[in-house]
Amino acid sequence: MSRLVEQVPPGKAVKGALVVGQRAGGEEISIIYHILRGLNPGPTVWFNGAIHGDELNGPIALLQLSQKLQPEQISGTIILTPVSNPLAFAARQKNTPHDLLDLDQQFPGDPEGTLSQRIAYQLFHVFGTAADYIVDSHTVGHDYFGQPYTVTKKIRQDLQPAFEQAQKLAEIFGGAFHCSLDFSENLNEVPGNVYGFLDVQAQLQGKVAFMVELGAGGIHQPDAVRFALEGYQRLLVDLKLLSSKKNPPASKLPAISIKKRYYLYANTAGFLTFSVQAGDFVKKGTLLAEVTDLYGQKTAYRAMHDAFVLINRNNAVVETGDRLFFLGESWNDANGGKK
Amino acid sequence: MSRLVEQVPPGKAVKGALVVGQRAGGEEISIIYHILRGLNPGPTVWFNGAIHGDELNGPIALLQLSQKLQPEQISGTIILTPVSNPLAFAARQKNTPHDLLDLDQQFPGDPEGTLSQRIAYQLFHVFGTAADYIVDSHTVGHDYFGQPYTVTKKIRQDLQPAFEQAQKLAEIFGGAFHCSLDFSENLNEVPGNVYGFLDVQAQLQGKVAFMVELGAGGIHQPDAVRFALEGYQRLLVDLKLLSSKKNPPASKLPAISIKKRYYLYANTAGFLTFSVQAGDFVKKGTLLAEVTDLYGQKTAYRAMHDAFVLINRNNAVVETGDRLFFLGESWNDANGGKK
């Protein structure tokens, strides 16, 4: 296995391309990395971006972070992979176009498998193995809109200390809310192989790992990029890789911790218009949205419970089974309130 | 040929589905229409939408228009086809997925050709033939952002009276600017078969036809929808299909008439960040945008002439040959200024 990270000498910043495959047209498929090894010892942090090819605010913020970092000011090692799924990124889509797989469901990967499995293997064994802390930057899908938030996943009771450290770091990162999910009881919250998530597999290897969701997919949102850049820097200061003189302003801590979430799906088809949006609290029975078909017939969608709107659909065209909203059903608020 | 429009009795509104083909899964491919025939005689206006499947503000506004119209208040006939390319619409993309063709380059169509050619044929011969006035509602592409504007195309000197009428109607419709293009001299302004555009072929049949561009593609923009709805109503009042008591507030007329436009293309690849946006006037040499590659290297893009920014790219990922901006190079402004 490549020891790319370990080979960087103290006080050096190395940028390069880790080749993970070839294309029929002659191009190499590679993951571009920035490794900054401080003069002084300390932990290793890996900031990963664009594991889903259409999630852009994180990669843009990571490139800005790289420009701000000087190895001589770092205690420890910082690894940046702004775009970890280069072909999905080039295709402006979530999944790898070659095998149609979600790279974030392929960990720890397979060096002899499909392209997504091979990319997962390289990411996990070259960067993941070297890291103590892993922050995986996402956004919501390119058909959706939401404010930045963080997600931690509880896997097993014996991994509780690392999980609690991830929760503390997620709080420091900040966001409009925080999702704390208990995967020790339920692996079916979202469709797909939840067990193959980078942050799940990393925790099973003893790492501290969590996800940040940095706004809307498919576009560059300057506010979300600024938020991410400050959040990354706060984590580095908290972990003592950077001096506290570098500390950006404190984040508004997540006021709301979401414990249970669900999707509201369309049963009808047509054009979607909203009555509420991400960030709203809604009462049971509130009109959330209407779908108007091409004859002008409308269907109303109402809240089935009191809920907090985590994400709303940003694509106006819906068909049966499309997700309209991601709703928080159970939460703790900052004032000790619960639902 | 179907005489759908002519068969609607005076004082009736008919909604239906014009079948244009079949799918392998058993579904019919059809274009949903609304035909409103007034009690009193008058001209026939056809409002077409989503000839490109990802251009949504027009269709949403046309469905709202349909709800506001009563046949007994109409003098003449109003045809609405909110979504004229149903399979591109279902695919959330510009071109027809079956044959990869741009439906707006296939007119007057071919009843024995590919699906796009067949749809063009039906649209042109069922709705186009019946219409005196054709307004084709577009938006800019789903990777782009722009304010609403109108486009008229001069084809031949002997068609000048209808062209001038289209220009007058485009002014009444309103917008941030107006593009008046002379296709009698140059058919190569944009790639593709310009001669197959709906508004070009309609003019060759003696119709008054023009395009309205209703904001950004791929999303629902409530402001652009409201603007379009008022514009459609103003046209109907001006053409005396509706009483002037129904007249919505006058539009801010287009202050700028664009005579020559060009695209600025990317020569490098990476993440795009803007310094200017649609609606800005820029001087020669102004920094328009930067593209940052995955190593952090930046390329600056500057204005080669004084220009007016018609459209800017909204997708942050660019590769060689992607369009960054659509720029107006030559214009008349409202105060008699020129460039």
Side-chain angles (χ1 to χ4, degrees), chain B residues 138-265:
Chain B
H138 289 248
T139 66
V140 299
H142 70 268
D143 283 340
Y144 299 89
F145 176 79
Q147 295 176 295
Y149 66 97
T150 53
V151 184
T152 54
K153 294 165 188 158
K154 178 175 175 170
I155 312 297
R156 280 198 327 238
Q157 194 55 43
D158 62 307
L159 301 169
Q160 189 69 10
F163 171 73
E164 284 175 9
Q165 209 181 342
Q167 283 208 296
K168 180 176 154 278
L169 291 174
E171 271 203 11
I172 289 167
F173 190 86
F177 57 93
H178 172 67
C179 293
S180 177
L181 305 178
D182 190 346
F183 279 15
S184 63
E185 291 173 4
N186 177 13
L187 279 174
N188 282 323
E189 193 217 23
V190 292
N193 177 31
V194 162
Y195 204 68
F197 284 168
L198 172 58
D199 54 352
V200 170
Q201 285 295 321
Q203 286 186 79
L204 292 173
Q205 296 299 318
K207 315 294 184 184
V208 174
F210 65 103
M211 274 172 52
V212 297
E213 292 274 3
L214 299 168
I219 57 172
H220 169 207
Q221 293 181 298
D223 286 354
V225 168
R226 202 172 308 119
F227 170 82
L229 180 60
E230 291 186 0
Y232 298 143
Q233 291 174 286
R234 270 196 302 275
L235 296 182
L236 292 171
V237 169
D238 185 76
L239 294 170
K240 303 197 180 347
L241 278 92
L242 292 183
S243 143
S244 62
K245 284 181 293 185
K246 292 263 171 196
N247 214 359
S251 164
K252 206 184 73 178
L253 294 186
I256 303 159
S257 178
I258 306 291
K259 294 187 294 178
K260 198 168 165 198
R261 335 179 276 186
Y262 69 101
Y263 288 106
L264 180 70
Y265 294 89

Side-chain angles (χ1 to χ4, degrees), chain A residues 197-331:
Chain A
F197 284 166
L198 172 58
D199 54 353
V200 170
Q201 285 295 320
Q203 285 186 78
L204 293 173
Q205 296 300 317
K207 314 293 183 185
V208 174
F210 65 103
M211 273 172 52
V212 297
E213 293 273 3
L214 299 168
I219 56 173
H220 169 208
Q221 294 181 298
D223 285 355
V225 168
R226 204 172 307 119
F227 170 81
L229 180 60
E230 291 185 0
Y232 298 141
Q233 291 174 285
R234 269 194 303 275
L235 296 182
L236 292 172
V237 170
D238 185 77
L239 294 170
K240 304 198 182 343
L241 279 91
L242 292 184
S243 143
S244 62
K245 284 181 291 184
K246 292 262 172 195
N247 215 0
S251 163
K252 207 183 73 180
L253 294 185
I256 303 159
S257 177
I258 305 291
K259 293 188 295 180
K260 198 168 163 199
R261 335 179 278 186
Y262 70 101
Y263 288 106
L264 180 70
Y265 294 90
N267 301 317
T268 54
F271 289 105
L272 180 69
T273 50
F274 291 115
S275 305
V276 300
Q277 64 180 0
D280 290 348
F281 284 97
V282 295
K283 286 281 175 197
K284 182 179 173 178
T286 302
L287 181 69
L288 301 176
E290 283 186 324
V291 174
T292 307
D293 75 13
L294 293 185
Y295 294 102
Q297 283 293 325
K298 290 178 195 290
T299 315
Y301 289 83
R302 293 181 181 279
M304 292 183 299
H305 318 273
D306 292 1
F308 178 69
V309 182
L310 305 176
I311 296 174
N312 62 259
R313 187 177 179 84
N314 199 25
N315 183 316
V317 181
V318 298
E319 295 177 299
T320 303
D322 280 336
R323 291 168 174 166
L324 303 182
F325 292 99
F326 201 19
L327 298 167
E329 191 186 336
S330 168
W331 61 80

Side-chain angles (χ1 to χ4, degrees), chain B residues 28-152:
Chain B
E28 285 186 329
I29 304 167
S30 56
I31 297 165
I32 292 173
Y33 57 82
H34 302 209
I35 303 171
L36 300 102
R37 188 152 175 209
L39 272 180
N40 298 312
T44 296
V45 178
W46 173 27
F47 291 113
N48 187 51
I51 209 165
H52 296 140
D54 57 352
E55 300 180 1
L56 307 179
N57 290 323
I60 294 170
L62 290 173
L63 288 171
Q64 293 183 4
L65 177 66
S66 178
Q67 284 200 314
K68 286 183 175 288
L69 296 173
Q70 309 292 337
E72 55 271 24
Q73 298 175 337
I74 297 170
S75 300
T77 301
I78 300 169
I79 305 166
L80 309 174
T81 46
V83 176
S84 56
N85 193 344
L87 292 175
F89 175 70
R92 282 84 160 163
Q93 70 182 38
K94 178 177 181 177
N95 283 16
T96 313
H98 288 55
D99 52 20
L100 306 179
L101 292 174
D102 179 339
L103 176 58
D104 199 19
Q105 299 184 356
Q106 309 311 322
F107 291 92
D110 180 343
E112 305 291 329
T114 71
L115 183 58
S116 295
Q117 293 176 304
R118 289 172 192 234
I119 294 174
Y121 183 87
Q122 294 283 339
L123 288 169
F124 202 73
H125 292 86
V126 175
F127 305 117
T129 302
D132 304 296
Y133 300 91
I134 299 173
V135 181
D136 196 25
S137 292
H138 289 248
T139 66
V140 299
H142 70 268
D143 283 340
Y144 299 89
F145 176 79
Q147 295 176 295
Y149 66 97
T150 53
V151 184
T152 54

